[in-house]
Amino acid sequence: MTTFDPAAGHVAVRDHAAAALSRIVGHDLAVWATVDPATVMTTSCRLYGADRDPVFEGEVLASEFADDREVLRYTDLADGALVGTVHDATGGDPARSRRHREVLAPRGFTDHLRLVLHDGRTAWGVVDLLRAGGVFTGDEVAAASRLGRPAALALRVAMTRARAQGDDDAVVAAHDVEGSGLVLCGPDGTVSEVSPEARVLLEGAELPAAVTALLAARRGAGRAGPVSAPTPSGRWLTFAPTDLGTMTAVVVDPIRPSRLADVVARARGLSAREQDVLGELARGRSNKQIARRLALSEWTVQDHVKAVLAKFGASGRGELQAALFSGHYAPLHG
């Protein structure tokens, strides 16, 4: 079985896995994304074969929530076949897919393969392969599928354990940090002071580009944060800016995609059972499916669903999924 070394971090795992897949399945563009295993919502993306296009990325991601009848949604694949093509899923008529009809076909793509990177228990990433001209064959789908589990196993380790190369002491210290770190920035965005806690959390690296962009935006338009970004080893941090006169204080806190759902639930005041229901709703499951999985009556599930929707200010499941992604997961793509 193909294996990938998680020690270099989730970005390197995706780089190596993407290179391996490109050797066995031809494609014109590939998107490799990590996901929150609790909700299967994407937390960061890397493109192979083109420069990043935020508009295109946004349209593809929006297609996850625009129509619950859409084929090859990540949540559906994670609960089922794990892999599929739009050509096969639509009986040879890709135009039946809104994603293909409105987003992919106008850009010249003729087939779309989706693969969930699943370790046998949960999903850790997803892969989109786009082909301009022709369709993916059954042999190619099978070849892509064989890469899913080893890539998922490596991502699982890389995303849940910080393992910076050559600096084990810093990694241990990062796990032992209690509380937040603080970075003080001048009026022009330059860093003037970094607290010891922040230095450990940042693993010696500079402020991520996402934070630099946020500070520039605040200087120009006064927009608020926070933003999230990974360290070199793949450990996720949140950065919350606060104005202090002419200075900006950036509070640094640790967060990982695998824990983001818990943070979201606490912020919304969800009970433990409502949090369980939120996870099921995020994966697109019906009340009957949720009742069966959580050993509850459908009436009880219905009450919990109403409470969750109310706490998110959403009128329905699709709106909840869209709000959950745009409000809490989309910023991770920065």
Side-chain angles (χ1 to χ4, degrees), residues 75-121:
T75 52
D76 295 333
L77 285 172
D79 285 337
L82 302 182
V83 65
T85 68
V86 70
H87 183 270
D88 290 341
T90 59
D93 183 13
R96 288 170 48 196
S97 161
R98 177 186 295 186
R99 181 191 306 110
H100 183 86
R101 184 176 66 252
E102 299 181 0
V103 181
L104 302 180
R107 289 175 168 83
F109 296 113
T110 54
D111 202 7
H112 178 197
L113 184 153
R114 278 191 158 187
L115 169 67
V116 174
L117 306 178
H118 202 284
D119 66 3
R121 297 183 61 185

Side-chain angles (χ1 to χ4, degrees), residues 78-320:
D79 285 337
L82 302 182
V83 65
T85 68
V86 70
H87 183 270
D88 290 341
T90 59
D93 183 13
R96 288 170 48 196
S97 161
R98 177 186 295 186
R99 181 191 306 110
H100 183 86
R101 184 176 66 252
E102 299 181 0
V103 181
L104 302 180
R107 289 175 168 83
F109 296 113
T110 54
D111 202 7
H112 178 197
L113 184 153
R114 278 191 158 187
L115 169 67
V116 174
L117 306 178
H118 202 284
D119 66 3
R121 297 183 61 185
T122 193
W124 294 93
V126 290
V127 180
D128 285 15
L129 300 184
L130 304 178
R131 178 171 285 179
V135 299
F136 293 98
T137 68
D139 288 343
E140 288 175 321
V141 172
S145 180
R146 287 192 291 271
L147 206 66
R149 183 178 175 85
L153 292 172
L155 279 178
R156 181 180 71 188
V157 175
M159 291 169 61
T160 57
R161 289 194 307 179
R163 296 179 62 184
Q165 291 178 320
D167 195 4
D168 292 337
D169 291 339
V171 174
V172 172
H175 282 287
D176 290 339
V177 169
E178 295 184 2
S180 306
L182 186 66
V183 178
L184 290 179
C185 300
D188 60 353
T190 57
V191 175
S192 62
E193 184 177 343
V194 182
S195 73
E197 294 84 0
R199 291 185 186 281
V200 173
L201 289 169
L202 288 166
E203 300 171 8
E206 298 178 355
L207 282 180
V211 180
T212 305
L214 170 66
L215 294 176
R218 286 172 65 84
R219 293 196 302 274
R223 282 178 286 178
V227 297
S228 301
T231 65
S233 72
R235 179 184 177 87
W236 283 82
L237 303 175
T238 59
F239 301 86
T242 301
D243 292 329
L244 296 176
T246 60
M247 305 289 285
T248 300
V250 181
V251 178
V252 185
D253 282 305
I255 187 173
R256 294 181 299 194
S258 59
R259 296 295 296 169
L260 185 55
D262 295 338
V263 175
V264 172
R266 286 198 298 271
R268 295 283 178 167
L270 270 64
S271 68
R273 182 55 81 186
E274 288 168 351
Q275 182 177 346
D276 293 337
V277 171
L278 172 64
E280 300 296 322
L281 289 172
R283 295 174 72 100
R285 294 189 173 119
S286 67
N287 283 7
K288 181 178 292 186
Q289 291 172 317
I290 296 172
R292 184 170 60 250
R293 290 177 60 84
L294 300 182
L296 298 172
S297 73
E298 287 190 50
W299 292 108
T300 300
V301 169
Q302 183 174 327
D303 289 340
H304 286 315
V305 169
K306 289 180 179 178
V308 171
L309 292 176
K311 290 179 179 180
F312 275 85
S315 60
R317 294 164 184 254
E319 188 176 324
L320 171 67

